[in-house]
Amino acid sequence: MAKTSKIAADARRREIVARHDEQRRALKRTIKDPTTTMAEKVLAQRALQRLPRDASPTRLRNRDAVDGRPRGYLRTFGLSRVRFRQAAHRGELPGITKSSW
């Protein structure tokens, strides 16, 4: 189980990213648009830099939905490898069976 503070920090970051998402997209569009002037692009770049550091989606870390474990994350299920194995053994994941040969 991950530290409670790390789980809380990740939840806070996810909320900040969601709050600033539309503004970041608009600024990025302005910067990439070939029809905007250089002055507008510079202003958009400065506005993008003034956003909080945690507003960037690259600051997020995929974590296990149950216990917050950051390593061994399986994206399809939203679980770590440890929790995935436990849930598969108990039959809690539809369509997943343990192979044996």
Side-chain angles (χ1 to χ4, degrees):
M1 173 116 184
K3 289 171 56 175
T4 308
S5 61
K6 291 289 188 181
I7 295 171
D10 187 57
R12 179 181 44 82
R13 280 193 189 106
R14 288 187 185 282
E15 190 268 323
I16 292 172
V17 166
R19 188 180 335 138
H20 294 284
D21 183 50
E22 188 55 42
Q23 186 180 6
R24 281 183 62 84
R25 286 179 193 233
L27 290 170
K28 290 271 197 177
R29 246 185 321 231
T30 303
I31 292 169
K32 290 182 181 181
D33 188 14
T35 61
T36 58
T37 65
M38 186 56 93
E40 290 173 340
K41 288 184 181 187
V42 170
L43 289 174
Q45 181 66 36
R46 287 195 182 141
L48 190 61
Q49 289 174 348
R50 278 194 302 269
L51 288 176
R53 178 177 284 178
D54 283 343
S56 174
T58 59
R59 303 268 298 183
L60 297 177
R61 173 88 178 172
N62 289 331
R63 290 184 174 270
D64 187 312
V66 178
D67 65 0
R69 188 178 201 283
R71 304 285 180 116
Y73 179 78
L74 300 175
R75 207 178 273 192
T76 308
F77 301 96
L79 299 172
S80 67
R81 60 182 177 79
V82 178
R83 290 283 173 182
F84 174 79
R85 187 167 187 270
Q86 291 171 353
H89 279 299
R90 289 191 300 256
E92 296 173 355
L93 301 174
I96 304 297
T97 57
K98 184 179 185 312
S99 64
S100 60
W101 57 90

